[in-house]
Each structure stands twice: as C-alpha cells, then as structure tokens.
mmCIF file of all heavy atoms in Angstrom:
data_model
loop_
_atom_site.group_PDB
_atom_site.id
_atom_site.type_symbol
_atom_site.label_atom_id
_atom_site.label_comp_id
_atom_site.label_asym_id
_atom_site.label_seq_id
_atom_site.Cartn_x
_atom_site.Cartn_y
_atom_site.Cartn_z
ATOM 1 N N ARG T 1 139.588 13.661 50.399
ATOM 2 C CA ARG T 1 140.806 12.886 50.768
ATOM 3 C C ARG T 1 140.562 11.460 50.336
ATOM 4 O O ARG T 1 139.674 10.757 50.808
ATOM 5 C CB ARG T 1 141.068 12.961 52.271
ATOM 6 C CG ARG T 1 142.347 12.231 52.661
ATOM 7 C CD ARG T 1 142.639 12.341 54.169
ATOM 8 N NE ARG T 1 142.862 13.707 54.610
ATOM 9 C CZ ARG T 1 143.996 14.348 54.429
ATOM 10 N NH1 ARG T 1 145.035 13.743 53.796
ATOM 11 N NH2 ARG T 1 144.154 15.572 54.869
ATOM 12 N N VAL T 2 141.378 10.993 49.404
ATOM 13 C CA VAL T 2 141.142 9.706 48.749
ATOM 14 C C VAL T 2 141.304 8.545 49.751
ATOM 15 O O VAL T 2 140.566 7.588 49.739
ATOM 16 C CB VAL T 2 142.080 9.521 47.537
ATOM 17 C CG1 VAL T 2 141.847 8.156 46.908
ATOM 18 C CG2 VAL T 2 141.822 10.623 46.534
ATOM 19 N N ARG T 3 142.292 8.685 50.637
ATOM 20 C CA ARG T 3 142.485 7.634 51.651
ATOM 21 C C ARG T 3 143.241 8.185 52.813
ATOM 22 O O ARG T 3 143.901 9.226 52.694
ATOM 23 C CB ARG T 3 143.198 6.419 51.088
ATOM 24 C CG ARG T 3 144.628 6.640 50.656
ATOM 25 C CD ARG T 3 145.258 5.373 50.219
ATOM 26 N NE ARG T 3 146.687 5.589 49.837
ATOM 27 C CZ ARG T 3 147.526 4.587 49.494
ATOM 28 N NH1 ARG T 3 147.088 3.368 49.489
ATOM 29 N NH2 ARG T 3 148.786 4.860 49.193
ATOM 30 N N ASP T 4 143.164 7.535 53.971
ATOM 31 C CA ASP T 4 143.846 8.005 55.189
ATOM 32 C C ASP T 4 145.303 7.553 55.166
ATOM 33 O O ASP T 4 145.690 6.606 55.819
ATOM 34 C CB ASP T 4 143.148 7.449 56.426
ATOM 35 C CG ASP T 4 141.751 8.048 56.609
ATOM 36 O OD1 ASP T 4 141.583 9.238 56.249
ATOM 37 O OD2 ASP T 4 140.875 7.358 57.138
ATOM 38 N N ALA T 5 146.127 8.233 54.371
ATOM 39 C CA ALA T 5 147.532 7.932 54.254
ATOM 40 C C ALA T 5 148.278 9.168 53.801
ATOM 41 O O ALA T 5 147.685 10.137 53.316
ATOM 42 C CB ALA T 5 147.765 6.738 53.264
ATOM 43 N N ILE T 6 149.582 9.145 53.916
ATOM 44 C CA ILE T 6 150.405 10.278 53.494
ATOM 45 C C ILE T 6 150.369 10.401 51.971
ATOM 46 O O ILE T 6 150.422 11.502 51.426
ATOM 47 C CB ILE T 6 151.857 10.165 54.015
ATOM 48 C CG1 ILE T 6 151.861 10.235 55.545
ATOM 49 C CG2 ILE T 6 152.736 11.187 53.393
ATOM 50 C CD1 ILE T 6 153.248 10.041 56.127
ATOM 51 N N ASP T 7 150.300 9.295 51.265
ATOM 52 C CA ASP T 7 150.312 9.289 49.821
ATOM 53 C C ASP T 7 148.979 8.761 49.283
ATOM 54 O O ASP T 7 148.593 7.629 49.581
ATOM 55 C CB ASP T 7 151.443 8.424 49.300
ATOM 56 C CG ASP T 7 151.600 8.469 47.773
ATOM 57 O OD1 ASP T 7 151.189 9.486 47.206
ATOM 58 O OD2 ASP T 7 152.107 7.512 47.172
ATOM 59 N N PRO T 8 148.204 9.576 48.547
ATOM 60 C CA PRO T 8 148.478 10.988 48.159
ATOM 61 C C PRO T 8 148.225 11.951 49.331
ATOM 62 O O PRO T 8 147.258 11.755 50.085
ATOM 63 C CB PRO T 8 147.498 11.206 47.001
ATOM 64 C CG PRO T 8 146.362 10.293 47.295
ATOM 65 C CD PRO T 8 146.954 9.095 47.942
ATOM 66 N N LEU T 9 149.047 12.961 49.401
ATOM 67 C CA LEU T 9 149.035 13.896 50.547
ATOM 68 C C LEU T 9 147.845 14.844 50.452
ATOM 69 O O LEU T 9 147.149 15.123 51.441
ATOM 70 C CB LEU T 9 150.319 14.675 50.586
ATOM 71 C CG LEU T 9 150.415 15.761 51.683
ATOM 72 C CD1 LEU T 9 150.359 15.104 53.078
ATOM 73 C CD2 LEU T 9 151.722 16.543 51.538
ATOM 74 N N LEU T 10 147.599 15.386 49.280
ATOM 75 C CA LEU T 10 146.588 16.459 49.125
ATOM 76 C C LEU T 10 145.227 15.886 48.759
ATOM 77 O O LEU T 10 145.096 14.877 48.089
ATOM 78 C CB LEU T 10 147.054 17.432 48.060
ATOM 79 C CG LEU T 10 148.394 18.116 48.296
ATOM 80 C CD1 LEU T 10 148.758 19.021 47.131
ATOM 81 C CD2 LEU T 10 148.385 18.925 49.600
ATOM 82 N N ARG T 11 144.208 16.669 49.152
ATOM 83 C CA ARG T 11 142.849 16.355 48.707
ATOM 84 C C ARG T 11 142.686 16.730 47.264
ATOM 85 O O ARG T 11 143.488 17.499 46.718
ATOM 86 C CB ARG T 11 141.827 17.172 49.572
ATOM 87 C CG ARG T 11 141.809 16.841 51.044
ATOM 88 C CD ARG T 11 140.881 17.761 51.790
ATOM 89 N NE ARG T 11 140.908 17.509 53.229
ATOM 90 C CZ ARG T 11 140.047 16.701 53.857
ATOM 91 N NH1 ARG T 11 139.116 16.085 53.135
ATOM 92 N NH2 ARG T 11 140.137 16.506 55.143
ATOM 93 N N ARG T 12 141.639 16.153 46.643
ATOM 94 C CA ARG T 12 141.347 16.460 45.250
ATOM 95 C C ARG T 12 140.023 17.245 45.173
ATOM 96 O O ARG T 12 139.066 16.882 45.878
ATOM 97 C CB ARG T 12 141.189 15.165 44.437
ATOM 98 C CG ARG T 12 142.458 14.658 43.734
ATOM 99 C CD ARG T 12 143.677 14.650 44.536
ATOM 100 N NE ARG T 12 144.800 14.038 43.767
ATOM 101 C CZ ARG T 12 145.981 13.844 44.315
ATOM 102 N NH1 ARG T 12 146.200 14.193 45.578
ATOM 103 N NH2 ARG T 12 146.947 13.324 43.604
ATOM 104 N N PRO T 13 139.985 18.315 44.345
ATOM 105 C CA PRO T 13 138.744 19.087 44.189
ATOM 106 C C PRO T 13 137.836 18.522 43.103
ATOM 107 O O PRO T 13 138.311 18.154 42.007
ATOM 108 C CB PRO T 13 139.258 20.461 43.809
ATOM 109 C CG PRO T 13 140.536 20.177 43.046
ATOM 110 C CD PRO T 13 141.132 18.961 43.616
ATOM 111 N N PHE T 14 136.521 18.496 43.379
ATOM 112 C CA PHE T 14 135.567 18.045 42.386
ATOM 113 C C PHE T 14 134.305 18.894 42.484
ATOM 114 O O PHE T 14 133.810 19.151 43.604
ATOM 115 C CB PHE T 14 135.177 16.565 42.625
ATOM 116 C CG PHE T 14 136.336 15.619 42.564
ATOM 117 C CD1 PHE T 14 136.937 15.158 43.740
ATOM 118 C CD2 PHE T 14 136.842 15.168 41.350
ATOM 119 C CE1 PHE T 14 138.037 14.304 43.690
ATOM 120 C CE2 PHE T 14 137.919 14.313 41.301
ATOM 121 C CZ PHE T 14 138.533 13.864 42.487
ATOM 122 N N GLY T 15 133.802 19.324 41.342
ATOM 123 C CA GLY T 15 132.546 20.070 41.349
ATOM 124 C C GLY T 15 131.392 19.188 41.767
ATOM 125 O O GLY T 15 131.396 17.959 41.491
ATOM 126 N N ILE T 16 130.388 19.786 42.383
ATOM 127 C CA ILE T 16 129.204 19.023 42.810
ATOM 128 C C ILE T 16 128.343 18.802 41.568
ATOM 129 O O ILE T 16 127.830 19.708 40.964
ATOM 130 C CB ILE T 16 128.423 19.791 43.883
ATOM 131 C CG1 ILE T 16 129.247 19.893 45.144
ATOM 132 C CG2 ILE T 16 127.105 19.108 44.179
ATOM 133 C CD1 ILE T 16 128.638 20.777 46.248
ATOM 134 N N PHE T 17 128.164 17.521 41.233
ATOM 135 C CA PHE T 17 127.330 17.167 40.055
ATOM 136 C C PHE T 17 125.869 17.127 40.423
ATOM 137 O O PHE T 17 125.009 17.562 39.630
ATOM 138 C CB PHE T 17 127.774 15.773 39.568
ATOM 139 C CG PHE T 17 127.006 15.279 38.362
ATOM 140 C CD1 PHE T 17 127.223 15.821 37.101
ATOM 141 C CD2 PHE T 17 126.054 14.290 38.513
ATOM 142 C CE1 PHE T 17 126.478 15.370 36.000
ATOM 143 C CE2 PHE T 17 125.317 13.847 37.418
ATOM 144 C CZ PHE T 17 125.554 14.399 36.143
ATOM 145 N N ASP T 18 125.520 16.590 41.596
ATOM 146 C CA ASP T 18 124.142 16.515 41.999
ATOM 147 C C ASP T 18 124.063 16.348 43.514
ATOM 148 O O ASP T 18 124.979 15.871 44.155
ATOM 149 C CB ASP T 18 123.461 15.348 41.300
ATOM 150 C CG ASP T 18 121.923 15.411 41.372
ATOM 151 O OD1 ASP T 18 121.394 16.496 41.738
ATOM 152 O OD2 ASP T 18 121.236 14.418 41.087
ATOM 153 N N LEU T 19 122.905 16.725 44.046
ATOM 154 C CA LEU T 19 122.582 16.567 45.457
ATOM 155 C C LEU T 19 121.146 16.056 45.566
ATOM 156 O O LEU T 19 120.304 16.337 44.710
ATOM 157 C CB LEU T 19 122.715 17.867 46.233
ATOM 158 C CG LEU T 19 124.076 18.521 46.314
ATOM 159 C CD1 LEU T 19 123.981 19.877 46.958
ATOM 160 C CD2 LEU T 19 125.070 17.654 47.095
ATOM 161 N N GLY T 20 120.845 15.304 46.643
ATOM 162 C CA GLY T 20 119.479 14.822 46.787
ATOM 163 C C GLY T 20 119.392 13.880 47.971
ATOM 164 O O GLY T 20 120.273 13.801 48.791
ATOM 165 N N THR T 21 118.292 13.121 48.009
ATOM 166 C CA THR T 21 118.118 12.112 49.054
ATOM 167 C C THR T 21 117.649 10.804 48.436
ATOM 168 O O THR T 21 117.114 10.818 47.304
ATOM 169 C CB THR T 21 117.068 12.559 50.088
ATOM 170 O OG1 THR T 21 115.779 12.727 49.459
ATOM 171 C CG2 THR T 21 117.485 13.849 50.780
ATOM 172 N N PHE T 22 117.841 9.723 49.140
ATOM 173 C CA PHE T 22 117.372 8.421 48.692
ATOM 174 C C PHE T 22 116.896 7.607 49.887
ATOM 175 O O PHE T 22 117.320 7.880 51.035
ATOM 176 C CB PHE T 22 118.479 7.656 47.936
ATOM 177 C CG PHE T 22 119.625 7.250 48.817
ATOM 178 C CD1 PHE T 22 119.681 5.943 49.336
ATOM 179 C CD2 PHE T 22 120.656 8.136 49.157
ATOM 180 C CE1 PHE T 22 120.749 5.571 50.124
ATOM 181 C CE2 PHE T 22 121.704 7.760 49.954
ATOM 182 C CZ PHE T 22 121.773 6.468 50.464
ATOM 183 N N ALA T 23 116.028 6.639 49.652
ATOM 184 C CA ALA T 23 115.543 5.787 50.724
ATOM 185 C C ALA T 23 116.603 4.751 51.093
ATOM 186 O O ALA T 23 117.190 4.101 50.231
ATOM 187 C CB ALA T 23 114.275 5.061 50.263
ATOM 188 N N THR T 24 116.878 4.609 52.393
ATOM 189 C CA THR T 24 117.899 3.664 52.835
ATOM 190 C C THR T 24 117.321 2.251 52.800
ATOM 191 O O THR T 24 116.133 2.046 52.712
ATOM 192 C CB THR T 24 118.332 4.036 54.270
ATOM 193 O OG1 THR T 24 117.216 3.891 55.122
ATOM 194 C CG2 THR T 24 118.916 5.417 54.329
ATOM 195 N N GLU T 25 118.238 1.258 52.922
ATOM 196 C CA GLU T 25 117.818 -0.117 52.952
ATOM 197 C C GLU T 25 116.928 -0.407 54.124
ATOM 198 O O GLU T 25 116.036 -1.262 54.068
ATOM 199 C CB GLU T 25 119.036 -1.040 53.003
ATOM 200 C CG GLU T 25 119.938 -0.941 51.761
ATOM 201 C CD GLU T 25 121.134 -1.842 51.907
ATOM 202 O OE1 GLU T 25 121.003 -2.933 52.437
ATOM 203 O OE2 GLU T 25 122.226 -1.435 51.465
ATOM 204 N N TYR T 26 117.135 0.305 55.206
ATOM 205 C CA TYR T 26 116.370 0.081 56.443
ATOM 206 C C TYR T 26 115.322 1.199 56.554
ATOM 207 O O TYR T 26 115.645 2.339 56.859
ATOM 208 C CB TYR T 26 117.294 0.094 57.660
ATOM 209 C CG TYR T 26 118.426 -0.903 57.477
ATOM 210 C CD1 TYR T 26 119.692 -0.455 57.086
ATOM 211 C CD2 TYR T 26 118.254 -2.280 57.640
ATOM 212 C CE1 TYR T 26 120.748 -1.338 56.892
ATOM 213 C CE2 TYR T 26 119.281 -3.161 57.423
ATOM 214 C CZ TYR T 26 120.543 -2.701 57.052
ATOM 215 O OH TYR T 26 121.553 -3.562 56.864
ATOM 216 N N THR T 27 114.105 0.876 56.272
ATOM 217 C CA THR T 27 113.044 1.885 56.137
ATOM 218 C C THR T 27 112.862 2.732 57.368
ATOM 219 O O THR T 27 112.425 3.856 57.289
ATOM 220 C CB THR T 27 111.695 1.234 55.764
ATOM 221 O OG1 THR T 27 111.411 0.210 56.729
ATOM 222 C CG2 THR T 27 111.794 0.557 54.394
ATOM 223 N N ASP T 28 113.139 2.169 58.539
ATOM 224 C CA ASP T 28 112.963 2.941 59.783
ATOM 225 C C ASP T 28 113.968 4.085 59.868
ATOM 226 O O ASP T 28 113.803 4.958 60.706
ATOM 227 C CB ASP T 28 113.118 2.010 60.989
ATOM 228 C CG ASP T 28 111.928 1.059 61.130
ATOM 229 O OD1 ASP T 28 110.914 1.322 60.502
ATOM 230 O OD2 ASP T 28 112.054 0.082 61.861
ATOM 231 N N CYS T 29 115.006 4.057 59.058
ATOM 232 C CA CYS T 29 116.061 5.088 59.109
ATOM 233 C C CYS T 29 115.698 6.312 58.249
ATOM 234 O O CYS T 29 116.466 7.282 58.201
ATOM 235 C CB CYS T 29 117.368 4.522 58.698
ATOM 236 S SG CYS T 29 118.009 3.229 59.818
ATOM 237 N N GLY T 30 114.574 6.264 57.513
ATOM 238 C CA GLY T 30 114.170 7.372 56.729
ATOM 239 C C GLY T 30 115.021 7.529 55.475
ATOM 240 O O GLY T 30 115.484 6.564 54.876
ATOM 241 N N ARG T 31 115.264 8.772 55.059
ATOM 242 C CA ARG T 31 116.000 9.074 53.840
ATOM 243 C C ARG T 31 117.395 9.603 54.150
ATOM 244 O O ARG T 31 117.619 10.261 55.145
ATOM 245 C CB ARG T 31 115.235 10.073 52.974
ATOM 246 C CG ARG T 31 113.865 9.558 52.548
ATOM 247 C CD ARG T 31 113.165 10.512 51.586
ATOM 248 N NE ARG T 31 113.863 10.607 50.320
ATOM 249 C CZ ARG T 31 113.686 9.714 49.287
ATOM 250 N NH1 ARG T 31 112.868 8.676 49.447
ATOM 251 N NH2 ARG T 31 114.343 9.861 48.154
ATOM 252 N N GLN T 32 118.342 9.265 53.273
ATOM 253 C CA GLN T 32 119.752 9.655 53.468
ATOM 254 C C GLN T 32 120.111 10.675 52.372
ATOM 255 O O GLN T 32 119.732 10.542 51.208
ATOM 256 C CB GLN T 32 120.627 8.425 53.326
ATOM 257 C CG GLN T 32 122.132 8.735 53.211
ATOM 258 C CD GLN T 32 122.724 9.269 54.485
ATOM 259 O OE1 GLN T 32 122.585 8.670 55.571
ATOM 260 N NE2 GLN T 32 123.334 10.452 54.406
ATOM 261 N N THR T 33 120.840 11.716 52.775
ATOM 262 C CA THR T 33 121.306 12.725 51.817
ATOM 263 C C THR T 33 122.520 12.217 51.057
ATOM 264 O O THR T 33 123.373 11.542 51.647
ATOM 265 C CB THR T 33 121.673 14.028 52.558
ATOM 266 O OG1 THR T 33 120.575 14.399 53.407
ATOM 267 C CG2 THR T 33 121.965 15.144 51.568
#
C-alpha cells in the first residue's frame, strides 16, 4: 500500500528481489531483517 489514502486505492504487487539482515545504527538493537 503506497500510502494511507483512498487514492491510490489498491495495493501494488512486487516480486521479492532479496531478503536478509543488516546491522542497525544502534548496536544494542542487533540486526534488522
């Protein structure tokens, strides 16, 4: 859903290009998916 509004009404489909994790700016928070 591109934005919380009536226009555009429908969601857009997109293929998953990649998945993984990365280190967050705050090291105590661990890694983010």
Side-chain angles (χ1 to χ4, degrees):
R1 183 179 295 282
V2 178
R3 65 176 183 175
D4 292 327
I6 295 177
D7 185 26
L9 177 64
L10 301 176
R11 296 175 183 268
R12 267 46 177 186
F14 301 99
I16 295 174
F17 179 75
D18 195 14
L19 297 173
T21 63
F22 67 98
T24 63
E25 297 178 37
Y26 307 101
T27 55
D28 290 343
C29 296
R31 299 186 67 83
Q32 169 69 56
T33 309

